[in-house]
């Protein structure tokens, strides 16, 4: 009996030299890449499976995640440059598309499809607009523009990545310019002018007054 236990232990040690375990975390799938034959077919669901030491395993998150791009430069059509401190993109990689996306873009797929692409889309939107459009007229709609463009990109590239939401919490910061101060002074002037017109209308009883 002792001899059989020794033989079993030796065999187990030999097997462990050729196999190891990989655990796929919850809300992930695992893509396996062989050192000889490249990306292996299929995906591994959450759980623990035996793997060959000749393969490398990559875990890919398949639930909604938030990727935030910091300090995005926004150069406008009329010259002034803004910095947008944070653009956050809520996105999801469906597990049935994980292997395909991995094959096209690698394990850091979001660097291309979300980060680089998101920064490029913001910059393109900025160059189409004036500084006043960006800071005042269209700022409340700007995150919607970025979301629409990101959705269009994912469809054109057929990534399957779902763009849930784009969030920009703070207004852009003017880079080396007092343009924001000028905008605020202009807005205050417009507000005062409007007040004067309303007061004149009340006094004179006519709406045909301009200043």
């Amino acid at each position: 009996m002792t001899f059989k236990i020794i033989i079993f232990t030796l065999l187990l040690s030999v097997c462990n030299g050729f196999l190891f375990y990989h655990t796929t975390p919850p809300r992930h799938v695992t893509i396996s890449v062989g050192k000889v034959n490249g990306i292996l077919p299929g995906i591994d669901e959450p759980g623990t499976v035996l793997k060959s030491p000749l393969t490398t395993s990559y875990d890919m998150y398949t639930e909604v995640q938030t990727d935030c791009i910091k300090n995005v430069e926004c150069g406008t059509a009329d010259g002034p440059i803004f910095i947008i401190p944070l653009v956050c993109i809520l996105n999801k990689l469906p597990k049935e598309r994980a292997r395909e996306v991995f094959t096209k873009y690698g394990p850091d797929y979001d660097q291309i499809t979300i980060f680089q692409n998101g920064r490029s889309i913001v910059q393109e939107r900025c160059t189409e607009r004036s500084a006043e459009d960006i800071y005042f007229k269209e700022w409340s709609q700007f995150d919607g523009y970025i979301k629409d463009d990101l959705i269009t990109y994912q469809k054109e590239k057929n990534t399957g990545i779902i763009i849930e939401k784009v969030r920009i919490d703070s207004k852009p910061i003017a880079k080396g310019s007092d343009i924001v101060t000028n905008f605020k002074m202009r807005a205050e002037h417009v507000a005062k002018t409007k007040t004067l017109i309303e007061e004149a209308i009340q006094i004179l009883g006519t709406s045909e007054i301009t200043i």
Side-chain angles (χ1 to χ4, degrees):
M1 178 66 72
T2 304
F3 178 74
K4 289 182 178 179
I5 293 174
I6 292 172
I7 293 297
F8 177 77
T9 304
L10 288 172
L11 288 173
L12 188 62
S13 298
V14 170
C15 288
N16 281 337
F18 291 95
L19 295 172
F20 67 94
Y21 296 97
H22 178 81
T23 299
T24 303
R27 300 180 293 279
H28 289 71
V29 297
T30 297
I31 311 296
S32 297
V33 181
K35 293 184 178 6
V36 176
N37 50 354
I39 300 173
L40 303 183
I43 59 174
D44 293 324
E45 302 276 355
T48 300
V49 295
L50 283 171
K51 293 284 185 179
S52 163
L54 297 177
T55 64
T56 303
S57 298
Y58 296 91
D59 298 326
M60 302 185 74
Y61 194 68
T62 55
E63 295 293 334
V64 177
Q65 61 183 351
T66 303
D67 292 321
C68 291
I69 312 171
K70 297 180 179 179
N71 299 322
V72 182
E73 190 167 285
C74 173
T76 59
D78 51 349
I81 298 174
F82 294 101
I83 298 296
I84 302 176
L86 207 62
V87 178
C88 291
I89 302 165
L90 282 69
N91 63 95
K92 178 181 179 181
L93 172 65
K95 67 179 181 179
E96 61 271 14
R97 302 299 298 271
R99 186 179 181 278
E100 181 182 349
V101 168
F102 182 93
T103 303
K104 286 183 179 179
Y105 302 104
D108 297 323
Y109 70 94
D110 53 355
Q111 290 298 320
I112 296 173
T113 59
I114 301 297
F115 286 95
Q116 292 181 22
N117 184 45
R119 188 178 294 273
S120 175
I121 284 173
V122 170
Q123 291 170 346
E124 184 174 346
R125 281 286 184 172
C126 288
T127 58
E128 298 171 348
R129 289 162 174 77
S130 69
E132 188 171 3
D133 289 338
I134 293 295
Y135 198 84
F136 283 113
K137 294 181 179 179
E138 299 184 33
W139 182 249
S140 62
Q141 304 165 274
F142 204 68
D143 49 5
Y145 296 153
I146 305 308
K147 178 184 176 182
D148 291 344
D149 288 350
L150 280 166
I151 290 173
T152 299
Y153 173 89
Q154 306 305 332
K155 287 181 178 178
E156 289 177 349
K157 298 298 183 181
N158 193 29
T159 67
I161 296 171
I162 300 168
I163 304 299
E164 299 276 353
K165 185 179 180 180
V166 173
R167 189 178 70 243
I168 305 176
D169 291 334
S170 59
K171 273 205 166 189
I173 301 168
K175 185 177 179 180
S177 171
D178 59 355
I179 189 169
V180 174
T181 303
N182 293 338
F183 282 157
K184 289 180 179 178
M185 290 175 62
R186 190 188 309 172
E188 290 173 0
H189 174 72
V190 170
K192 289 179 181 178
T193 301
K194 184 178 179 182
T195 301
L196 289 173
I197 293 173
E198 290 173 351
E199 290 175 352
I201 289 172
Q202 290 179 355
I203 295 172
L204 300 177
T206 177
S207 60
E208 296 179 1
I209 299 175
T210 58
I211 297 179

